[in-house]
Amino acid sequence: MGALKGQAATLQVEMVCLDELVAEDDRYRKLDRLVDWSFVREVAAPYYAEDVGRPSIDPIVLVKLMVAGALEGIGSTRELLRQASVRLDLRRFLGYGLSERLPVHQTLSHAHTRRFVDAALFERLFRRSLELCKQHGLVEGTHISIDGFHAEADAALASLRASLALVAAPEAEAGGDADSGQGSAPEPAGQLALDGQAAGSRASEQRPALTLAEPRSGPTPKRRSSNRTSVSVTDPEAKLRGKPGQRPHLVHRGQVAVDRKRRVIVACRGEQADGFEGDAVEPLLDRARFACPELASVGADSGFAAERVWRAAERRRLTAFIPPQPTMLPNAGEEPTTEAQRQALAARARCKSPAGIAAHRQRMADAEGVIGELKNQGTADRAQRRGTPHFHVQLLLNCAAVNCKRLADHAPRAQSGVAAAPQATQTQLPAAAASATNMQQPAAAADRSRWLAALLAAAPRVWDHAISLN
């Protein structure tokens, strides 16, 4: 047996470097090499007032915390900050030392729900992650797969209440006591008089009589709720959805468009879970076309099939591999009688071609795989906050985290520990950042003397270490 190890070694005061305690192939270290986070301060500048109040937390720290929560699948703000306080890789990623105190959870929640609620910052974050994936060759850009999913809303079924609306009263019958010479519209049945004059003018009008219903016989009918008759008082934008044989839930709906090369998300959309989900195809195609100008085809399942969806893809000169539903096709042996049936037959012929079969397999692997990743490894399985705008922000954050994961795992030269920023990006960096980058890789320099001269000419760097002298 070896010597007994106690807790004495943990009480010693040592001078350590946090950067040396994090592995070289750590995912967050790679993200720091690949991503220039300075754009966060530029976008977040309008949300802060100058020379007013106390010094605020760096917005880059807040955004990095949110991205880390989406990468780790931590939906709780308190748990995220607890993990960041004890993990060395997250502390290095945030730029905090071993003895520095991290922001409190109220600051992060306020930034997520109040300060950055208009989604402009998160839209820029998602577009920036997509641009970096394109710069490193992770986006093919000619074919995308579209699919949707439902996320549990932050509302319970017990919050459902009947949705009542005022119904206009029927017109007075001819020859009745009501004055028919005025020709005015009928008053709503549920309108109340706001002043005495209005009440006195309708005092002589005939009011609807209430009668008791006949006694009911037979079994008590089951109560059934639907989006037409019920609304949640805690989250009115959450909608009832459920599969046959399963209990319905209050959910929001998310749509994603995925590239086929490295499963990079090129467009996303958070919306209410009512209506036809194919209505999101057109805005998704516009966003994907903006990111991928060479887009030529799109694949989706039969839930997106509709004549207007096929026409929308045709107007954009895209080949839509979206199979029709059986009810859209004419009967066997009959000719199509409408334009919708002709479009459905053409769509079925496209989906049965070798390219359509390949698009179907690509959609199952890419779109459904990314949705499983968003829900199982990220935080998109449940809405963290109420309202469709908040869910859209949450979806943007999760999609940006997925793209950052692709960037760290598949970017060229990232696996070897060398900075993977392309040459065009390196020329845009300031001189101090370029010199610091050259200092991090002295072994790659061919001439030792030139490297030493550059090291001596670089600006001095100050290192702060917390030392206990007890």
Side-chain angles (χ1 to χ4, degrees):
M1 283 192 301
L4 178 64
K5 294 290 292 184
Q7 300 295 330
T10 62
L11 302 177
Q12 297 178 2
V13 177
E14 297 183 9
M15 177 179 275
V16 296
C17 179
L18 179 58
D19 189 79
E20 297 178 356
L21 299 179
V22 181
E24 191 68 25
D25 59 348
D26 182 72
R27 176 179 291 170
Y28 295 105
R29 183 187 286 270
K30 294 178 184 178
L31 286 180
D32 269 343
R33 296 194 189 109
L34 298 170
V35 182
D36 182 12
W37 299 93
S38 60
F39 73 95
V40 175
R41 297 184 64 89
E42 301 175 4
V43 181
Y47 302 106
Y48 294 88
E50 297 182 1
D51 302 330
V52 177
R54 295 176 297 177
S56 61
I57 303 297
D58 187 0
I60 297 180
V61 174
L62 301 178
V63 171
K64 283 184 174 182
L65 275 171
M66 298 176 191
V67 172
L71 281 172
E72 302 288 340
I74 305 175
S76 173
T77 305
R78 289 182 174 87
E79 178 63 20
L80 173 61
L81 291 173
R82 192 190 70 83
Q83 292 281 347
S85 63
V86 299
R87 287 180 50 176
L88 299 179
D89 56 344
L90 290 179
R91 277 190 171 272
R92 184 196 176 278
F93 181 60
L94 299 176
Y96 276 70
L98 291 174
S99 60
E100 288 187 270
R101 182 179 179 183
L102 268 67
V104 295
H105 69 91
Q106 294 94 334
T107 303
L108 185 59
S109 298
H110 177 79
H112 201 174
T113 59
R114 300 291 182 86
R115 191 181 296 275
F116 307 140
V117 73
D118 58 351
L121 176 61
F122 300 98
E123 287 278 2
R124 179 68 180 275
L125 176 65
F126 172 73
R127 293 201 305 266
R128 181 58 179 164
S129 67
L130 179 57
E131 290 172 2
L132 289 174
C133 290
K134 291 174 60 179
Q135 290 177 9
H136 290 85
L138 305 182
V139 178
E140 192 261 349
T142 60
H143 177 81
I144 60 172
S145 301
I146 296 178
D147 206 351
F149 66 96
H150 290 148
E152 194 85 11
D154 189 16
L157 291 177
S159 65
L160 288 175
R161 298 294 184 271
S163 177
L164 302 179
L166 294 179
V167 182
E171 296 182 0
E173 298 180 358
D177 296 337
D179 187 7
S180 59
Q182 299 294 333
S184 59
E187 295 288 343
Q191 186 174 358
L192 300 178
L194 300 180
D195 51 8
Q197 182 180 1
S201 63
R202 288 193 294 269
S204 60
E205 296 181 2
Q206 183 180 4
R207 297 181 178 180
L210 299 178
T211 58
L212 295 177
E214 295 293 334
R216 187 183 71 243
S217 61
T220 303
K222 295 182 178 180
R223 296 180 58 186
R224 295 184 180 273
S225 299
S226 65
N227 292 325
R228 293 183 179 180
T229 60
S230 303
V231 63
S232 173
V233 295
T234 55
D235 190 358
E237 297 181 352
K239 300 299 179 182
L240 277 169
R241 300 289 289 186
K243 296 183 179 180
Q246 297 182 3
R247 186 182 183 186
H249 297 273
L250 289 170
V251 297
H252 294 282
R253 185 164 58 205
Q255 309 272 9
V256 293
V258 185
D259 185 77
R260 64 181 176 182
K261 185 174 183 179
R262 290 294 184 182
R263 297 198 303 176
V264 174
I265 302 177
V266 299
C268 64
R269 178 185 174 90
E271 60 184 9
Q272 295 185 9
D274 60 346
F276 177 51
E277 65 176 343
D279 293 336
V281 171
E282 197 164 353
L284 282 177
L285 289 179
D286 292 337
R287 296 185 182 186
R289 196 68 175 271
F290 179 79
C292 306
E294 299 179 357
L295 186 63
S297 59
V298 56
D301 58 12
S302 59
F304 294 84
E307 181 185 2
R308 59 181 180 271
V309 176
W310 293 319
R311 288 186 178 276
E314 185 178 357
R315 287 195 303 269
R316 291 165 176 79
R317 298 180 181 179
L318 300 177
T319 305
F321 297 105
I322 305 176
Q325 298 182 6
T327 56
M328 300 178 179
L329 300 171
N331 296 330
E334 296 182 1
E335 295 293 329
T337 57
T338 62
E339 182 62 24
Q341 291 182 352
R342 284 188 284 270
Q343 289 277 352
L345 287 175
R348 187 179 66 171
R350 287 195 302 268
C351 293
K352 287 182 175 291
S353 64
I357 296 174
H360 170 71
R361 294 175 178 174
Q362 201 77 38
R363 180 193 63 80
M364 295 181 64
D366 295 344
E368 294 185 4
V370 166
I371 288 176
E373 188 174 358
L374 288 172
K375 299 181 71 174
N376 298 329
Q377 300 181 12
T379 61
D381 58 334
R382 181 180 179 87
Q384 296 176 342
R385 291 161 182 86
R386 295 166 181 171
T388 304
H390 286 290
F391 176 70
H392 180 63
V393 167
Q394 180 181 350
L395 183 60
L396 283 171
L397 187 59
N398 277 267
C399 293
V402 169
N403 290 348
C404 289
K405 187 188 302 184
R406 303 287 187 270
L407 194 65
D409 294 343
H410 303 290
R413 300 166 57 189
Q415 304 293 341
S416 59
V418 184
Q423 189 68 24
T425 306
Q426 290 182 357
T427 57
Q428 298 174 0
L429 294 176
S435 61
T437 304
N438 295 332
M439 291 169 57
Q440 292 178 0
Q441 39 183 340
D447 192 352
R448 293 285 180 175
S449 60
R450 292 182 181 180
W451 169 79
L452 182 59
L455 179 63
L456 296 176
R461 303 177 65 180
V462 180
W463 298 86
D464 296 332
H465 296 283
I467 302 176
S468 177
L469 301 179
N470 292 339

